[in-house]
Amino acid sequence: MLSNGFIRNHAVGITADDTSLRFQYYDRSKVVESKPFGIVNEEFKKLFMAMVCQLHKLSTENLGFIPNLDLDGFDLLRNPEQLPYYFDKDPSKLVGATYTFTGTDGSRRRVRITKVLYRAEGIIGRCSIVVEVECLCKEADCTWHEKGKKRTRTKRKVMKISFPSKTRPSEDGLIGEARSKAESSGDTWALNHLPEVIDSITIPYHEENTVQGRLKKHLKENYEERVMRVTFLEKLHPLSELKDPREIAQVFYDVLQIHQWLYECVGILHRDLSSGNIMFRRIDGKVYGVLNDFDLSSRIRDMDQGPTSKQRTGTRPFMSVDLLDPDWEGGHLYRHDLESLFYIMLCLACRYEAPGVPAPEPRPYSQWFSGSDEEICNIKHKFLMSPFVLSQGLPIQPYFADFDPWLNLLHRFVSEGYHARPRPGIDISAYPGLKKHLPSKTLFDWQTLDGNVTYSVLRQFMSSFQEEPLDTRWTGFNPDN
């Protein structure tokens, strides 16, 4: 009910099997269910009827429907004629829904969903929904109206509804911090590679008046507090819209540059590189790669204080081996994002015949998209550590053949880094003759896998493509990183 159908904060339902019933409650942090009970017993039958009556009395908001989000008058729970209506997995059913809100400038606005761009599956977590919207305001001076003349009016907009942890820094706050730094420091080039937030509204769950608030009060540390956040951003373009391999290469090189600038100059680590978060915008005919979606990003100064959410950080197919390994205790490092960048490029070049055109089944690396964390960790570990991967050749599609040097070098350096990791010490004092057979190096740079996975290493080969230089946007980087 949460990952399909209409967008909800939470859902309440009843499940039945041959002998019993259960009341169930789902939200973005917890699944709660009652003990099974039968309705043959008269007492339980009365209890069941009382519960059904109470559920019917709840407002649509208390039933989990998002306030002010309206699907053209659709009200499943108030109109019996709509009971047979079934929301399947087709997210396009949300097209036509309207959302009314008060912006941070105090203006009351109403937008209509025109296209569903992305909807996350699952129950627990941020569960983001990204839709394209149009403004329905008819006021002549509305700065959002698509037919206006101001620069902000001409940009197509997306609305993202998500349910992040209450303790996590807000996406609009981090993006605003980065854009302000770019303007104040003179690094205005960075603005072309950052998303632009138009407005953002955060809606907390009141402690006394909402189920979420009461659950937190009752379960304490066993319940992760979340907020609902509605963010409006300039619409960007996905990689699948690019047709020139050189432009794709420029986007990846741009993402490397803006990632390093954020890390070194703003103190922000992105922490969730994925194929869906690497976008582009076109300005005066030129392509500029954009690093999108800062929902899981963190300020570096805060990362030593522990995680800001109880949920895994990253998109599983592109996560580094370390972060998939339950034994890893070293936190999220910048080279983990660079490893993710490698997997993104690898999957694009090997799993697609051309941008947006999937290769025939069976597609390479499919297990990365369906296995558990432990399974994917083991598969990726073998992929990196096996001496036969490069000798057999990466399964790169002909369209992406010019990415072969990049991908082979990336595999080589990431692999070398993992190979170089020190093993636990062994007491060999009783066998002094063995000392010469063991490596003597005691210091290892975990931050960069001993210098193998760094911005500097990647820049050396990603700054050119097809034997021609790409556009370098920034030269003020730290050459030691």
Side-chain angles (χ1 to χ4, degrees), residues 126-392:
R126 292 176 299 150
C127 302
S128 300
I129 303 103
V130 183
V131 296
E132 188 171 347
V133 295
E134 63 179 1
C135 179
L136 297 179
C137 178
K138 296 181 181 179
E139 299 296 327
D141 61 346
C142 175
T143 57
W144 277 45
H145 204 277
E146 283 74 11
K147 294 181 180 179
K149 296 180 181 178
K150 292 184 180 180
R151 180 175 177 268
T152 55
R153 297 176 182 175
T154 60
K155 293 183 177 179
R156 296 166 72 184
K157 301 171 184 67
V158 298
M159 177 175 72
K160 177 163 73 171
I161 300 175
S162 60
F163 304 88
S165 170
K166 183 179 179 180
T167 58
R168 187 175 291 285
S170 69
E171 179 181 34
D172 60 293
L174 292 170
I175 294 173
E177 192 176 316
R179 294 184 71 90
S180 295
K181 179 69 174 181
E183 292 171 346
S184 64
S185 66
D187 286 333
T188 54
W189 67 270
L191 298 173
N192 289 334
H193 308 281
L194 295 168
E196 182 176 355
V197 176
I198 300 168
D199 206 348
S200 184
I201 309 141
T202 299
I203 304 168
Y205 297 113
H206 191 273
E207 182 176 328
E208 299 294 336
N209 300 337
T210 64
V211 182
Q212 290 90 339
R214 292 194 293 273
L215 277 173
K216 175 61 179 178
K217 191 175 181 179
H218 178 70
L219 297 174
K220 297 182 173 56
E221 296 304 315
N222 291 320
Y223 184 84
E224 182 172 22
E225 272 190 287
R226 293 184 177 273
V227 297
M228 188 181 85
R229 184 164 291 133
V230 183
T231 306
F232 295 89
L233 305 104
E234 170 202 356
K235 185 185 179 185
L236 299 167
H237 300 278
L239 285 171
S240 58
E241 292 185 11
L242 290 173
K243 304 305 177 187
D244 182 355
R246 185 171 177 82
E247 287 188 332
I248 298 172
Q250 183 66 59
V251 168
F252 284 129
Y253 182 39
D254 285 346
V255 165
L256 177 69
Q257 294 178 81
I258 192 63
H259 191 282
Q260 183 176 11
W261 180 83
L262 286 165
Y263 183 77
E264 293 183 359
C265 299
V266 193
I268 290 175
L269 184 60
H270 189 274
R271 306 206 314 162
D272 186 26
L273 265 69
S274 71
S275 56
N277 293 342
I278 295 178
M279 312 285 281
F280 75 93
R281 56 166 63 95
R282 197 177 288 276
I283 304 174
D284 297 330
K286 291 187 65 175
V287 162
Y288 294 83
V290 180
L291 184 55
N292 197 34
D293 192 351
F294 283 65
D295 269 345
L296 295 182
S297 302
S298 294
R299 295 180 181 90
I300 296 167
R301 67 173 183 267
D302 298 333
M303 290 177 64
D304 292 336
Q305 300 175 14
T308 55
S309 173
K310 296 180 180 180
Q311 301 303 313
R312 172 181 57 86
T313 301
T315 303
R316 186 182 284 120
F318 310 113
M319 286 176 67
S320 70
V321 170
D322 280 342
L323 296 179
L324 290 166
D325 189 340
D327 295 327
W328 172 254
E329 297 179 350
H332 198 126
L333 307 175
Y334 89 75
R335 54 109 169 155
H336 291 139
D337 281 7
L338 301 189
E339 187 178 336
S340 293
L341 185 61
F342 166 43
Y343 297 140
I344 294 165
M345 291 190 284
L346 180 72
C347 287
L348 175 65
C350 299
R351 291 174 54 82
Y352 290 85
E353 291 185 333
V357 183
E361 298 290 351
R363 299 164 73 192
Y365 315 120
S366 290
Q367 291 174 301
W368 297 6
F369 293 79
S370 59
S372 66
D373 286 3
E374 184 178 359
E375 289 169 341
I376 299 171
C377 178
N378 292 334
I379 294 167
K380 284 186 175 179
H381 187 270
K382 181 179 179 181
F383 167 74
L384 292 174
M385 306 302 277
S386 171
F388 307 112
V389 170
L390 292 186
S391 63
Q392 294 172 352

Side-chain angles (χ1 to χ4, degrees), residues 46 59 275 303 313 345 362 373 375 421 427 430 437 439 443 461:
K46 291 179 181 179
S59 66
S275 56
M303 290 177 64
T313 301
M345 291 190 284
D373 286 3
E375 289 169 341
R421 292 186 300 178
D427 182 9
H437 296 288
L443 296 178
F461 55 85

